[in-house]
Structure formats: C-alpha cells, structure tokens
Amino acid sequence: MEADRSADSPPAVSATMHRAKTGARAAHVTVGKVRDRADGTVEIDCSCGMVLTNGPHWSLDEHIRLHRAEARYLALSEVAPAGMPRLIPVAADRFPR
Ligand SMILES: [Zn+2]
C-alpha cells in the first residue's frame, strides 16, 4: 500500500535503500548442507561466515529467518535518511544502541 504522493515527491523507496536491501539478501545465503552436531542440534553456514543453528526453543528455519531479517534491518538502518523516526533507537552510526 502506498501513500498518496504528488508528482514531484521522491520515489517511495530510494535506490539507496533498495540496493541496501538487495545487498543484504545477497550477502546472507545459506551455503552447503545441514550438518548434524554432537549435541543433537543441526547447523548450516551462512555466506557471511556465521553458523546458523537450531536450539532448545527455536528451529533452524527460525534462526535463518531471523538472521536474514536482522541483516536486512541493519543494511536499511545504515542508509536510512537521518531524522527518519525509528522504532529501534540508533546511535550516530545508525546502528542500534
Ligand atoms: Zn549471514
């Protein structure tokens, strides 16, 4: 859903924010196969270098989804225009405090 805009207003989503989101998606893809660990949990590598795993109260898929959402959030947060009201307070570097 898009808010009404006049013809001379900027695009709804800037190219910068779109690129940030696309970049985050490309930088966080699972690689290889799911591995069984000695403690009975499973794990898989993310292309960023982090190992994603399940736990006592979450599935591997839930971790993958959260990881990707965090990556998108951080990428968008970093390029969001200064002064845009934020749900999560950020410091001067635009990362969460
Ligand atoms: Zn990652």
Side-chain angles (χ1 to χ4, degrees), residues 3-84:
D4 288 337
R5 291 176 285 122
S6 62
D8 59 350
S9 55
V13 178
S14 70
T16 302
M17 290 187 77
H18 183 73
R19 268 196 305 275
K21 186 177 173 182
T22 302
R25 189 178 293 130
H28 297 274
V29 293
T30 53
V31 292
K33 293 181 177 178
V34 175
R35 298 180 301 270
D36 293 307
R37 305 202 306 187
D39 64 0
T41 60
V42 293
E43 65 182 18
I44 192 165
D45 294 325
C46 180
S47 57
C48 73
M50 190 168 169
V51 176
L52 307 174
T53 185
N54 63 341
H57 306 294
W58 68 93
S59 69
L60 178 60
D61 189 59
E62 286 172 330
H63 192 186
I64 292 168
R65 287 170 186 271
L66 176 64
H67 182 73
R68 288 175 177 161
E70 286 181 313
R72 283 195 307 275
Y73 165 73
L74 289 173
L76 286 170
S77 183
E78 194 175 8
V79 300
M84 185 183 283

